[in-house]
Amino acid sequence: MSLLQMEQIMKRYNQGELEVMALKGINLTVEEGEFVAIMGTSGSGKSTMMNILGCLDRPTQGSYLLEGQDVAHFDDNALAEVRNKKIGFVFQSFNLLPKLSALENVALPMVYAGVDRAVRIKRAMEALDKVGLSARIHHKPNELSGGQRQRVAIARALVNDPAILMADEPTGNLDSKSTFEIMGIFQQLNDEGVTVVMVTHEPDVAQYTKRIVVFQDGEIKQDHPVEHRVIFREGAVQ
Amino acid sequence: MNLAECIKNAFQNVFSNKSRTLLTMLGIIIGISSVIIIVAIGNGSQAAIEEEFESFGTGSFTVSLVGSRDIDTRDLLTMEDYYLLEEMEGIAAISPTYTYGSAFLKLMDPQETNTATMTGVTADYQSLNNDTLLYGRYLSNNDVNMKTNVCVIYDTTAQKVFGRADESVIDQQIQIKSWKGTKKYTVIGILQNTDTSQIENPDEYPDTIFAPITSIMKNYYSDTISNLMISVSADADTDDMKEQILTALEDFHGNEDKYYIMDTTDMMDSINSILSYVTLFIGFVAAISLLVGGIGVMNIMMVTVTERTREIGIRKAIGAKNKDIRFQFLVEAILLTGSGGLLGLLIGWAGSYGVGALVGITPVMSITAILGAVGVSMAIGIIFGVTPANKAAKLDPIEALRYE
Ligand SMILES: Nc1ncnc2c1ncn2[C@@H]1O[C@H](COP(=O)(O)OP(=O)(O)OP(=O)(O)O)[C@@H](O)[C@H]1O
Ligand SMILES: [Mg+2]
């Protein structure tokens, strides 16, 4: 059984008279342990795809099996449960809650999972440690740099031990130093067994992954492994 | 999502914008505090009125001569009227009264006196006036017939005259001075004074001394009585009896419309009903203010939901269910109105004593009013918080995340 399997996924947006087919029958399979980059021109349907993959949205048509479950037809409640337990989502704009500290932000998914407070704090600290932020757990998001904020977001995505980590242009708002550090974290997590699917515009960022899927006009145009994969090394000049 | 986390979170959100929160709560604060003040003052005045009337004795009424100029000597009430009515069927208790108020009671310190109200009555007066005997005995019909100089006094009076109010005071004498001479009365019974204001400041009130009416009339030279206090038996019709009594007196004196009846129960009923109308009306005004306050809360909660659309999107993206979001905003609304209610309660409490001091009424705080105020304000939070909370719960996660 594949980790996720999409068949003939379509997404149609109705904007008054105008009808947009954002996805035109996508077939995609991702196995456990993969590290996939989704690329493509602006408006080619990458975000639409990620939202469906991340169970934030439902496809208009097609089937989507996540760990064998047909999540395409789940109701709001069931989808929330899937997002909480099986999916970690990282956004381009971080999407942290500004009034909460790094620790509280990371612990939040566990609040909705009904985890005890003591366990929440322990696991949130571990997750922050994993992304190298143990020293800043009580800082609010606006007291952190962009790269640090994205690490908090990654820690939050990881904290419920999800089956898959999704990231929509996670480095889109970061300078190149932070970008490569974040890619280093993704590689390290992937080495530890976490499946990662991320959207990126930048070819050199995509080189850190293991497989590149290229979208064009709502369809998959290319799907190939990365030939000369770059490995992040601490302190290496990029 | 667990409750503790939700409440903590609501506290953070509600009290992070203090001035807005306070302005939003204002309607609730005004509504609740005015309800508290109205109820406390209303209860206070009702209690004061009831206490006032209780000292008259309830269930009884008095017959008096009207206070107009064209009164003849033949119209005056005398003991003859008492003997006449005493025979009437349907009367449970009857006592004539005659009060002589310009007397002075000698106190413990031989130099000191206090104003005394010499009140002449008969044996029935004890039940008519709801008096409880502590020691000795009450006046008897024999005392009335023999015109003996015996009296019953209140425990507060005994304290002032003898420095004690117990068995040993019985058979002691008291001295009453007036320009009609110094009279000596033997104390045969001690009654319990239940008037709280008199118990608290006994020196500020005249002392009432009950003695056989015949002895008072003899000693203070009166042929007439002040009025007649009457209660009717349980199986008799009160209104009917009042009619009969007036007719009997008019027949006896050969006059018309010279007597009137004052019924404390009737008066208390009408005062209470006026009071409850006033309370109801002001309560209605307060309810409108609560309604307006509730709408204000709903409005602010709507604004809050819009402002926090992105937060809602984030929470949903990481696994918050619709019901978690609904609950979160509902708790915030309840916290908002609940703390408004609590503030209103405190202000109302302080205000009751302020208003009470102004109008001279001791406010009476009732648990029902306090719990009611808190309950109502929380209920307003639920009623007016549901719509904004549902709006928040129904937001689509993607739309919400895209919101700037
Ligand atoms: N909510 C929506 N309503 C209508 N049309 C939409 C909506 N969301 C996306 N679209 C359309 O669907 C198409 C795909 O959009 P999508 O956001 O997936 O592109 P993208 O590949 O992520 O682009 P970018 O690289 O700029 O982020 C676009 O034509 C877009 O206009
Ligand atoms: Mg996009």
Side-chain angles (χ1 to χ4, degrees):
Chain A
M1 186 182 68
S2 305
L3 179 62
L4 62 86
Q5 189 174 6
M6 285 186 150
E7 262 167 48
Q8 286 302 311
I9 289 289
M10 300 203 198
K11 183 70 183 180
R12 186 174 57 237
Y13 289 114
N14 292 316
Q15 278 191 318
E17 297 283 284
L18 218 69
E19 225 179 55
V20 183
M21 274 303 261
L23 297 176
K24 301 172 179 167
I26 301 291
N27 296 306
L28 181 74
T29 303
V30 176
E31 304 296 337
E32 224 181 289
E34 280 201 84
F35 190 177
V36 185
I38 293 178
M39 301 192 69
T41 51
S42 187
S44 57
K46 304 183 297 293
S47 292
T48 307
M49 172 76 180
M50 286 304 273
N51 291 340
I52 293 171
L53 274 178
C55 292
L56 285 163
D57 205 356
R58 293 188 196 86
T60 314
Q61 249 181 62
S63 90
Y64 170 21
L65 299 183
L66 178 64
E67 290 191 317
Q69 281 183 305
D70 183 8
V71 294
H73 301 104
F74 274 19
D75 65 6
D76 284 359
N77 252 344
L79 280 183
E81 187 98 23
V82 172
R83 288 197 294 270
N84 188 235
K85 301 260 162 65
K86 296 197 173 168
I87 290 164
F89 215 111
V90 177
F91 303 88
Q92 178 176 358
S93 51
F94 320 127
N95 278 340
L96 300 173
L97 293 185
K99 283 182 193 161
L100 301 189
S101 69
L103 187 70
E104 289 168 323
N105 263 295
V106 174
L108 201 54
M110 292 185 284
V111 169
Y112 292 114
V115 176
D116 280 347
R117 193 182 144 77
V119 181
R120 288 205 300 264
I121 292 173
K122 183 172 159 281
R123 271 168 53 187
M125 302 249 256
E126 283 167 7
L128 281 164
D129 190 41
K130 211 173 218 169
V131 296
L133 265 188
S134 334
R136 295 209 158 55
I137 57 171
H138 294 303
H139 289 238
K140 297 273 167 68
N142 63 1
E143 297 158 356
L144 297 170
S145 74
Q148 288 168 338
R149 285 183 215 184
Q150 199 57 300
R151 291 186 207 201
V152 175
I154 294 170
R156 180 180 66 185
L158 289 173
V159 82
N160 268 347
D161 214 0
I164 185 161
L165 188 66
M166 311 264 181
D168 192 351
E169 298 193 45
T171 62
N173 283 0
L174 302 180
D175 61 19
S176 59
K177 182 171 177 288
S178 307
T179 296
F180 297 118
E181 279 168 6
I182 294 293
M183 290 316 293
I185 291 172
F186 280 161
Q187 283 190 334
Q188 180 200 329
L189 292 171
N190 183 242
D191 289 345
E192 288 167 13
V194 180
T195 311
V196 183
V197 177
M198 65 174 283
V199 173
T200 181
H201 270 124
E202 301 160 72
D204 46 344
V205 168
Q207 289 305 307
Y208 283 77
T209 68
K210 295 175 175 169
R211 172 185 170 191
I212 297 179
V213 176
V214 182
F215 272 63
Q216 191 174 39
D217 217 5
E219 286 172 335
I220 294 180
K221 194 187 158 209
Q222 286 178 37
D223 186 348
H224 58 82
V226 176
E227 278 165 28
H228 306 288
R229 190 168 179 234
V230 181
I231 305 295
F232 176 81
R233 264 180 230 90
E234 196 76 52
V237 184
Q238 301 293 332
Chain B
M1 186 175 188
N2 74 16
L3 189 66
E5 202 63 29
C6 201
I7 290 172
K8 184 183 142 210
N9 178 47
F11 261 95
Q12 268 171 0
N13 283 316
V14 169
F15 296 110
S16 65
N17 194 340
K18 289 194 187 59
S19 56
R20 174 155 127 184
T21 298
L22 199 67
L23 285 174
T24 310
M25 293 191 306
L26 212 55
I28 307 286
I29 294 175
I30 293 171
I32 293 290
S33 56
S34 42
V35 170
I36 293 288
I37 293 174
I38 293 153
V39 171
I41 296 295
N43 284 348
S45 35
Q46 196 149 343
I49 290 166
E50 261 162 35
E51 192 176 342
E52 190 73 20
F53 278 99
E54 234 149 58
S55 62
F56 283 122
T58 44
S60 60
F61 52 85
T62 54
V63 183
S64 321
L65 191 61
V66 293
S68 86
R69 283 203 192 131
D70 46 12
I71 296 290
D72 246 348
T73 35
R74 64 167 182 157
D75 300 330
L76 297 170
L77 289 169
T78 67
M79 286 299 277
E80 295 304 318
D81 295 292
Y82 165 60
Y83 298 133
L84 174 79
L85 294 182
E86 201 190 11
E87 300 298 320
M88 192 181 253
E89 216 162 294
I91 285 182
I94 177 166
S95 169
T97 63
Y98 175 74
T99 307
Y100 182 77
S102 332
F104 296 92
L105 171 67
K106 274 189 85 173
L107 299 185
M108 211 162 33
D109 179 346
Q111 306 300 318
E112 270 192 73
T113 60
N114 189 38
T115 322
T117 309
M118 300 303 293
T119 308
V121 296
T122 61
D124 277 1
Y125 195 78
Q126 184 187 0
S127 70
L128 289 165
N129 201 38
N130 281 347
D131 275 325
T132 310
L133 191 68
L134 293 175
Y135 304 103
R137 63 171 180 88
Y138 201 76
L139 306 168
S140 68
N141 284 328
N142 194 42
D143 296 325
V144 176
N145 293 338
M146 306 299 289
K147 307 184 183 179
T148 46
N149 282 5
V150 294
C151 69
V152 290
I153 55 176
Y154 283 119
D155 47 358
T156 43
T157 305
Q159 274 294 346
K160 282 196 262 184
V161 179
F162 302 105
R164 58 186 195 276
D166 56 26
E167 198 73 55
S168 67
V169 171
I170 306 299
D171 289 337
Q172 302 287 315
Q173 280 194 330
I174 56 171
Q175 281 187 49
I176 290 113
K177 293 199 283 191
S178 73
W179 64 273
K180 290 178 179 172
T182 299
K183 315 285 176 194
K184 287 185 176 168
Y185 273 85
T186 306
V187 177
I188 57 165
I190 294 181
L191 303 172
Q192 185 177 21
N193 197 343
T194 52
D195 186 326
T196 41
S197 43
Q198 282 194 33
I199 293 167
E200 277 160 25
N201 303 303
D203 296 331
E204 287 175 19
Y205 291 87
D207 289 295
T208 306
I209 290 147
F210 299 106
I213 187 166
T214 46
S215 130
I216 298 281
M217 286 168 74
K218 185 184 83 187
N219 285 335
Y220 297 96
Y221 312 109
S222 175
D223 298 329
T224 60
I225 61 173
S226 309
N227 51 41
L228 286 154
M229 197 163 181
I230 298 169
S231 72
V232 301
S233 32
D235 52 348
D237 179 77
T238 310
D239 291 333
D240 199 43
M241 284 302 295
K242 286 176 183 170
E243 203 62 41
Q244 282 190 41
I245 287 164
L246 289 178
T247 316
L249 288 175
E250 285 171 358
D251 285 354
F252 188 58
H253 289 269
N255 57 15
E256 240 177 41
D257 298 337
K258 297 291 183 190
Y259 308 105
Y260 76 98
I261 285 176
M262 191 179 82
D263 191 332
T264 52
T265 320
D266 283 355
M267 281 174 69
M268 200 157 83
D269 283 352
S270 59
I271 289 177
N272 273 346
S273 84
I274 292 170
L275 214 61
S276 63
Y277 277 121
V278 172
T279 308
L280 205 68
F281 173 72
I282 308 179
F284 179 70
V285 175
I288 289 177
S289 125
L290 283 178
L291 183 75
V292 173
I295 293 170
V297 168
M298 179 149 103
N299 181 43
I300 275 299
M301 287 309 292
M302 282 295 193
V303 172
T304 303
V305 168
T306 308
E307 281 174 350
R308 285 161 57 192
T309 300
R310 204 179 169 86
E311 173 194 330
I312 295 163
I314 295 171
R315 287 180 184 272
K316 286 196 159 185
I318 61 171
K321 296 186 174 141
N322 295 357
K323 67 170 199 295
D324 294 324
I325 302 292
R326 181 180 302 119
F327 191 63
Q328 177 187 343
F329 282 91
L330 209 51
V331 168
E332 282 185 30
I334 294 170
L335 184 67
L336 197 61
T337 57
S339 15
L342 223 54
L343 267 178
L345 183 64
L346 293 178
I347 292 171
W349 195 310
S352 304
Y353 284 93
V355 173
L358 275 181
V359 298
I361 286 169
T362 315
V364 175
M365 285 291 163
S366 73
I367 292 289
T368 337
I370 290 169
L371 293 181
V374 175
V376 163
S377 55
M378 289 174 82
I380 288 172
I382 296 174
I383 293 165
F384 292 95
V386 158
T387 316
N390 275 337
K391 184 187 165 199
K394 283 199 204 106
L395 284 178
D396 178 66
I398 305 224
E399 301 279 321
L401 279 171
R402 213 177 270 146
Y403 185 85
E404 287 305 321

